[in-house]
Amino acid sequence: MDFDYSPKTKELQARLLRFMDAYIYPNEEAFQQELQANTEAGKRWTPLQLIEGLKDKAKEQGLWNLFLPQDTAEIAGVQGAGLTNQEYAPLAEIMGRVGWASEVFNCSAPDTGNMETIARYGTQEHRDRWLQPLLNGEIRSAFAMTEPEVASSDATNICTRIERQGDEYVINGHKWWISGAGDPRCAIYIVMGKSNPDAPKHAQQSMVLVPADTPGVRVVRPLQVLGYDDAPHGHMEMYFENVRVPASHILLGEGRGFEIAQGRLGPGRIHHCMRLIGQAERALELMCKRASSRVAFGKTVAQQTVTQERIAEARCRIDMARLLTLKAAWMMDTVGNKVARTEIAMIKVVAPKLACDVIDWAMQVHGGGGMSQDFPLAHAYTTARTLRFADGPDEVHRNAIAKWELGKYSEYGRDAQVPVTRGA
């Protein structure tokens, strides 16, 4: 593995850093002010004009759809950045330093995963109707998988029914933590549900495309994450009640839901982890600056031994997590997701825990300010803590890693499945 970034990545890094310095960091306060103004005007679930304006600048500077790999770009018939997972990963880290920055570049979840899913597994009709508007930033999307009635950490539990009736599929189910469903621009859902309860365990689930304006789609409420509702994106509870869509809206075919999920979640985990590393890196930067400027008990907080220990530990763990994530990305590019399964699971365990710890230490150094909206740390912590559930809880991935390790030396664990998991 070459530890150096490619020339293409270095050039994009430089351009992206300049954009962040010019437009993202200076607008963090303006972002909060516009969100507050929308709330006071009763328009909380309204797209922010600040972000929409910055999207135009990102397009002008060629910093648009950076996530789009070359093979997917060719399928979609568009010009993307054409980056490998390894090349895109450091760009995701830069964007991750500010929670809302990824959307400016059309590189935010769940749209990125949904775009790749439609490109890879959809028909040309699906791509024309939904992929192109998503790539253009004209609409948003959501991925409806997690359910409140079952432990969705085991995706085979998902019980939303997708039943064939003539030329249509009828969908009935209850979903929650559906990120992006609060955005009024959300035009399409990818819904996972059970199409054949009698099929083998991993052939029971399917994925189907459901337009947001289909009768029977009902959004109930936004769920708060440690007090944040993340408007206008939102994490919604919703119902699908006798929702009917054409049979042509099925992705890849009945019983292929787990196959699609495997293809969708691998790159997404790289993106999530690198964004988390970006958050941790910024938290460390803020911690060092704050510790150097505050005096307690006759010396700066930076001179306190406990602070120095945490700074050193943060530096070590951030660099370890970054290298592990880059290795996973490199393996996905060179030998494929299946061979890289252990590394993908490992980064999913390591990165969110790392980010939680480093952000927590930074909050501690900031004192009461760390708990307030005056610094980005409190919201960053909610994101990091949430991602210990999203794409599967730590425990599921630890179990899988252990089984694969044991499988090197015994029969137990040798044939363990890659976990398809989501939510709580």
Side-chain angles (χ1 to χ4, degrees):
M1 175 182 175
D2 186 352
F3 286 91
D4 196 13
Y5 295 135
S6 71
K8 183 190 293 186
T9 296
K10 289 179 180 178
E11 191 264 337
L12 283 169
Q13 279 180 301
R15 288 165 54 195
L16 194 55
L17 286 167
R18 287 195 296 270
F19 192 101
M20 295 285 289
D21 287 338
Y23 301 113
I24 302 296
Y25 299 128
N27 277 306
E28 286 188 278
E29 185 175 347
F31 173 91
Q32 295 297 335
Q33 290 173 348
E34 184 178 355
L35 192 59
Q36 182 62 33
N38 283 355
T39 300
E40 293 172 354
K43 301 188 298 181
R44 185 162 180 78
W45 301 93
T46 302
L48 300 184
Q49 292 307 303
L50 168 65
I51 290 183
E52 296 309 298
L54 292 179
K55 285 180 180 180
D56 292 336
K57 294 184 182 297
K59 288 179 182 178
E60 291 169 3
Q61 296 190 21
L63 298 172
W64 189 254
N65 291 332
L66 297 174
F67 77 95
L68 199 65
Q70 187 60 48
D71 59 344
T72 307
E74 290 172 358
I75 293 170
V78 300
Q79 291 298 314
L83 303 179
T84 64
N85 286 297
Q86 186 183 0
E87 288 174 325
Y88 175 67
L91 306 182
E93 177 182 344
I94 293 170
M95 290 182 243
R97 291 171 64 89
V98 176
W100 48 268
S102 294
E103 184 185 349
V104 170
F105 309 100
N106 212 36
C107 291
S108 57
D111 290 331
T112 50
N114 291 342
M115 284 188 267
E116 289 201 54
T117 297
I118 295 172
R120 293 177 186 276
Y121 307 114
T123 65
Q124 189 58 49
E125 179 186 354
H126 300 155
R127 296 178 197 133
D128 292 342
R129 183 172 175 184
W130 292 299
L131 178 59
Q132 289 303 326
L134 282 167
L135 287 167
N136 294 337
E138 298 163 359
I139 63 173
R140 299 295 305 269
S141 63
F143 185 61
M145 185 173 178
T146 307
E147 299 178 0
E149 282 82 16
V150 299
S152 300
S153 55
D154 178 359
T156 62
N157 285 335
I158 289 171
C159 58
T160 290
R161 289 290 280 119
I162 300 175
E163 299 179 89
R164 180 75 179 255
Q165 292 185 8
D167 293 332
E168 295 180 317
Y169 282 103
V170 181
I171 304 156
N172 282 281
H174 182 194
K175 301 285 188 179
W176 71 344
W177 296 114
I178 308 307
S179 299
D183 195 314
R185 297 164 298 179
C186 181
I188 186 70
Y189 297 98
I190 298 178
V191 181
M192 185 164 176
K194 194 164 289 189
S195 53
N196 185 358
D198 300 319
K201 188 176 182 180
H202 289 90
Q204 296 179 4
Q205 306 281 350
S206 298
M207 288 193 191
V208 64
L209 293 165
V210 178
D213 60 359
T214 306
V217 175
R218 181 163 62 94
V219 176
V220 178
R221 59 168 177 155
L223 297 161
Q224 292 191 344
V225 183
L226 299 181
Y228 292 94
D229 61 13
D230 289 326
H233 185 67
H235 311 283
M236 315 304 277
E237 179 183 5
M238 60 187 302
Y239 286 87
F240 295 86
E241 299 167 320
N242 293 317
V243 173
R244 291 180 173 270
V245 298
S248 60
H249 284 203
I250 197 81
L251 287 174
L252 206 57
E254 286 191 23
R256 309 287 292 274
F258 277 87
E259 180 182 345
I260 297 170
Q262 293 290 6
R264 184 185 188 280
L265 292 175
R269 285 173 181 151
I270 294 289
H271 303 173
H272 275 321
C273 290
M274 289 304 288
R275 283 194 288 262
L276 283 166
I277 290 166
Q279 285 190 350
E281 190 72 67
R282 191 176 188 205
L284 175 57
E285 175 186 319
L286 292 172
M287 176 164 53
C288 290
K289 290 179 177 178
R290 181 77 166 184
S292 299
S293 66
R294 308 287 278 190
V295 176
F297 305 104
K299 54 185 178 181
T300 64
V301 176
Q303 292 174 303
Q304 307 288 346
T305 304
V306 66
T307 303
Q308 294 177 7
E309 288 176 353
R310 287 173 176 171
I311 289 171
E313 182 70 10
R315 179 74 276 149
C316 293
R317 288 178 59 188
I318 290 171
D319 285 6
M320 287 190 292
R322 180 184 293 110
L323 288 170
L324 183 59
T325 307
L326 290 172
K327 180 190 177 187
W330 170 72
M331 289 186 66
M332 288 168 64
D333 293 332
T334 55
V335 294
N337 292 15
K338 186 174 182 180
V339 178
R341 63 183 186 178
T342 302
E343 284 72 19
I344 294 171
M346 287 164 63
I347 64 171
K348 176 58 191 64
V349 172
V350 168
K353 184 64 167 63
L354 153 79
C356 279
D357 289 346
V358 174
I359 296 167
D360 183 69
W361 295 336
M363 290 168 70
Q364 198 74 7
V365 164
H366 280 70
M371 306 294 290
S372 75
Q373 68 270 38
D374 290 358
F375 298 92
L377 296 169
H379 188 261
Y381 184 85
T382 68
T383 301
R385 188 62 185 86
T386 300
L387 286 173
R388 291 183 62 194
F389 289 104
D391 291 343
D394 296 353
E395 294 83 354
V396 173
H397 292 286
R398 289 181 191 276
N399 285 349
I401 295 164
K403 287 177 182 176
W404 295 328
E405 194 67 18
L406 288 164
K408 297 176 182 178
Y409 309 102
S410 66
E411 290 297 322
Y412 179 75
R414 190 163 293 171
D415 298 320
Q417 293 280 337
V418 175
V420 175
T421 176
R422 183 82 171 186

